[in-house]
Amino acid sequence: MVQTALIMLGVGLFAGIAGAILGIGGGMIITPILTLGMGLSIKYAIGASIIAVIATSSGSTIAYLRDNVLNLRVAMFLEIATTIGAIIGALMTGILDPKYLYLLFGCLLVFSAWNMVRKLRRGQEVLKRVTPDRIAAKLKLNGSYFDKAELRDVDYQVENVPAGFAVMFGAGVASGLLGIGSGAFKVMAMDTFMKMPLKPSSSTSNLMMGVTAAASATVYFFNGSILPGIAVPMALGILVGAVIGSRVMQVLPARWIRIVFIPVLLYIGLQMVFKGLGVQLFS
């Protein structure tokens, strides 16, 4: 029992650091370890994943809010789309063939990875249009943050607000229908479609994931999917890891975060594409 708790603490620490830096939930890290490594049922692995997302969000969001890195207005605006989409997705369960959603969002993630490669080659994190986006200006979505890696204030514009909203709505549908995490989609919507810098995109995604996961955590708790012996030590590790990760992310150059994030997007995207085609690419 003590050995299991220590393993969960270590897994949580790693998942918290990675989740805080990349703005994704710990599900893609925790679920394979619990199911493949420890032989735990997928039901309990998903319950632990929900706790992981909440813990990552709680640990990192405090630091990001204090340092004014995340964009609270963008988070609350896009959360509307995600919540509505998740409700519709849950209602559509059994009606729509999930393979089409797997194919669609898998292709979107692969496109997002390709777009990040382009940004790496271009070497320019923030692009400013002469005429700011009218919707973003009206909703006061444009923001700024202090980049601790470059030691300067970075002002940025938010663009293509309807496209970002549509992607987040679709991600909510996919999340509700397929039961998948949407951290990668949140970063994709902000970075690829709304042209936000990666650091505000990642930190804002962390906040949004916690809000989304908290809404479903009660269901998992009452249906017995959350095992305290697994979830408690893992959550403690994640909280510590998320605080560390939030500090590391702010001093890392955005280029290095992209270099780490691109393979993650490709992994998730290709896995979804092949699952939609009925091929098990990764076990």
Side-chain angles (χ1 to χ4, degrees):
M1 188 68 181
V2 176
Q3 185 180 6
T4 301
L6 289 174
I7 292 174
M8 288 298 98
L9 200 66
V11 170
L13 185 68
F14 175 70
I17 293 173
I21 292 174
L22 300 177
I24 60 175
M28 66 172 294
I29 299 169
I30 289 167
T31 303
I33 292 175
L34 293 181
T35 54
L36 301 178
M38 301 184 67
L40 197 67
S41 167
I42 187 66
K43 170 186 174 181
Y44 300 117
I46 292 174
S49 177
I50 291 291
I51 297 299
V53 172
I54 297 173
T56 303
S57 176
S58 302
S60 61
T61 297
I62 295 172
Y64 291 144
L65 273 173
R66 184 174 58 246
D67 294 336
N68 201 30
V69 180
L70 66 80
N71 192 318
L72 195 57
R73 283 182 174 272
V74 170
M76 293 300 100
F77 177 70
L78 293 183
E79 200 62 60
I80 297 171
T82 309
T83 304
I84 295 173
I87 294 171
I88 293 175
L91 294 174
M92 290 171 63
T93 303
I95 300 175
L96 183 67
D97 193 338
K99 72 178 182 181
Y100 298 114
L101 279 178
Y102 277 118
L103 285 170
L104 173 62
F105 283 98
C107 290
L108 274 176
L109 287 174
V110 172
F111 167 74
S112 184
W114 172 74
N115 187 67
M116 283 196 173
V117 171
R118 287 175 55 208
K119 286 189 175 183
L120 271 178
R121 289 178 177 175
R122 191 170 59 213
Q124 193 171 356
E125 183 69 15
V126 181
L127 294 177
K128 288 193 176 182
R129 296 196 309 177
V130 177
T131 306
D133 186 285
R134 286 188 303 164
I135 299 177
K138 190 165 184 135
L139 295 175
K140 298 180 181 179
L141 301 181
N142 299 324
S144 65
Y145 69 100
F146 181 76
D147 194 315
K148 293 184 178 179
E150 300 182 8
L151 299 176
R152 66 182 181 92
D153 289 314
V154 178
D155 299 318
Y156 62 89
Q157 296 175 349
V158 176
E159 301 181 16
N160 302 329
V161 176
F165 194 87
V167 170
M168 287 312 306
F169 172 78
V173 172
S175 185
L177 185 63
L178 307 176
I180 59 174
S182 56
F185 297 115
K186 288 175 169 63
V187 176
M188 176 182 69
M190 289 179 274
D191 178 81
T192 302
F193 292 91
M194 299 175 74
K195 313 299 183 187
M196 287 174 58
L198 187 57
K199 289 187 178 182
S201 298
S202 174
S203 55
T204 303
S205 171
N206 267 296
L207 170 63
M208 293 176 66
M209 283 191 304
V211 175
T212 306
S216 57
T218 307
V219 177
Y220 285 96
F221 178 78
F222 282 109
N223 69 15
S225 298
I226 298 174
L227 297 177
I230 298 279
V232 172
M234 188 184 64
L236 290 174
I238 288 172
L239 281 171
V240 175
V243 172
I244 296 171
S246 64
R247 298 298 183 194
V248 172
M249 190 274 271
Q250 295 189 58
V251 298
L252 274 179
R255 175 180 179 82
W256 288 105
I257 301 175
R258 288 191 186 281
I259 288 172
V260 175
F261 200 71
I262 287 168
V264 173
L265 282 183
L266 281 175
Y267 173 85
I268 302 173
L270 289 174
Q271 193 176 43
M272 292 185 75
V273 168
F274 278 86
K275 192 165 185 177
L277 295 173
V279 179
Q280 191 66 29
L281 180 62
F282 302 108
S283 58

